[in-house]
């Protein structure tokens, strides 16, 4: 049976994994219901693994991460195929670059086919007339304008998704500056989850990234009731690993 997310129990499970000599990287909700979670970690031998737990931290399965089909790998494989062509960062830059090329071509096409004032209705809705060549060009112009109007925002959104983290680092100037060394003390992951969820009453837990030497904070992502319908929310809370203070926050409505 699935169980609702309990921050303390999930934190205890993460602590138990790390006490066994492993390094937990992050935790992700397996679906929008936020009742089962995947803990991604690196074991003592250096192998990447993923542990599926319910909201109470009980282990449902534990296996090697990165398999193409088994242990839930089919979904990661399909996601990677669409986002990075199974080629990692190089593939992601290729996908993003091709998206930029598509956007520039759409803009150039709109510039070329843009009707003069008062001609929009004729160009977009009227049946082309005249010689065969003129009719073909008219249909081509009409189809191109309609397609570009729909495709341009979609292509731009795709480019933003391809470079989501790079864009966030560029525009989020309120993020705390990275530190050269980890904080001397550290609150537990369960406490960090509780802090983030208290900031957003009624929100569902989407993910949590663990602190690192250069970034000594928990990055907790939640899906608020007013968020857009999707698996993972857009509100992010940065909780300091040293004392549990909220260092920065990206609200879903911003």
């Amino acid at each position: 049976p699935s169980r609702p997310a309990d921050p303390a129990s999930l934190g205890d499970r993460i602590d138990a994994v790390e006490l066994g000599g492993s390094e937990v990287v992050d935790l992700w909700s397996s679906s929008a219901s936020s009742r089962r979670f995947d803990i991604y970690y690196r074991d003592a031998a250096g192998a990447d693994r993923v542990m599926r737990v319910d909201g109470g931290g009980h282990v449902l399965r534990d296996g090697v991460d990165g398999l193409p089909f088994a242990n839930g790998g089919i979904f990661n494989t399909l996601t990677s195929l669409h986002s990075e062509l199974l080629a990692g960062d190089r593939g992601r830059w290729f996908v993003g670059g091709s998206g930029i090329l598509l956007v520039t071509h759409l803009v150039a096409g709109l510039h070329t086919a843009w009707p003069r004032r008062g001609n929009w209705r004729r160009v977009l809705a009227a049946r082309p007339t005249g010689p065969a060549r003129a009719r073909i060009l008219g249909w081509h112009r009409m189809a191109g304008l309609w397609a570009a109007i729909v495709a341009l925002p979609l292509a731009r959104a795709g480019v933003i998704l391809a470079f989501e983290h790079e864009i966030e680092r560029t525009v989020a100037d309120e993020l705390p500056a990275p530190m050269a060394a980890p904080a001397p003390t550290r609150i537990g992951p369960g406490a960090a989850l509780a802090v983030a969820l208290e900031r957003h009453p009624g929100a569902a837990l989407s993910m949590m990234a663990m602190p690192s030497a250069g970034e000594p904070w928990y990055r907790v992502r939640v899906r608020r009731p007013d968020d857009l319908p999707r698996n993972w929310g857009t509100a992010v809370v940065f909780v300091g690993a040293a004392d549990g203070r909220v260092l920065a926050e990206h609200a879903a409505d911003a």
Side-chain angles (χ1 to χ4, degrees), residues 2 5-6 11 15 36 44 50 62 64 86 109 119 125-126 134 164 175-176 208 229 242:
S2 63
D6 175 54
D15 286 336
R36 292 188 176 94
V50 57
D62 185 9
V64 177
L86 303 177
N119 288 345
E164 177 182 5
L175 282 177
M208 178 178 68

Side-chain angles (χ1 to χ4, degrees), residues 215-234:
E215 299 180 346
W217 52 73
Y218 294 90
R219 173 192 174 104
V220 185
R221 185 170 170 178
V222 300
R223 182 170 53 82
R224 303 194 318 188
D226 59 344
D227 231 336
L228 290 172
R230 54 187 292 175
N231 259 10
W232 300 296
T234 55

Side-chain angles (χ1 to χ4, degrees), residues 67-169:
L67 298 175
F69 302 106
N71 199 27
I74 180 63
F75 301 105
N76 291 331
T77 299
L78 291 173
T79 301
S80 177
L81 175 65
H82 283 80
S83 62
E84 58 194 42
L85 303 178
L86 303 177
D89 282 343
R90 183 177 300 176
R92 186 170 57 85
W93 279 91
F94 180 85
V95 170
S98 67
I100 292 173
L101 192 64
L102 176 58
V103 169
T104 58
H105 277 65
L106 288 169
V107 171
L110 281 171
H111 180 269
T112 302
W114 198 266
R116 291 194 297 270
R117 181 177 298 180
N119 288 345
W120 275 98
R121 182 179 180 84
R122 180 180 63 81
V123 172
L124 288 177
R127 182 186 182 92
T129 59
R133 179 176 175 80
R135 291 198 305 272
I136 292 173
L137 290 174
W139 283 114
H140 184 264
R141 185 184 189 185
M142 179 189 296
L145 282 170
W146 278 112
I149 291 171
V150 175
L152 186 56
L154 292 176
R156 289 176 65 246
V159 171
I160 291 172
L161 283 173
F163 301 118
E164 177 182 5
H165 299 299
E166 288 78 8
I167 293 172
E168 182 183 51
R169 294 190 194 102

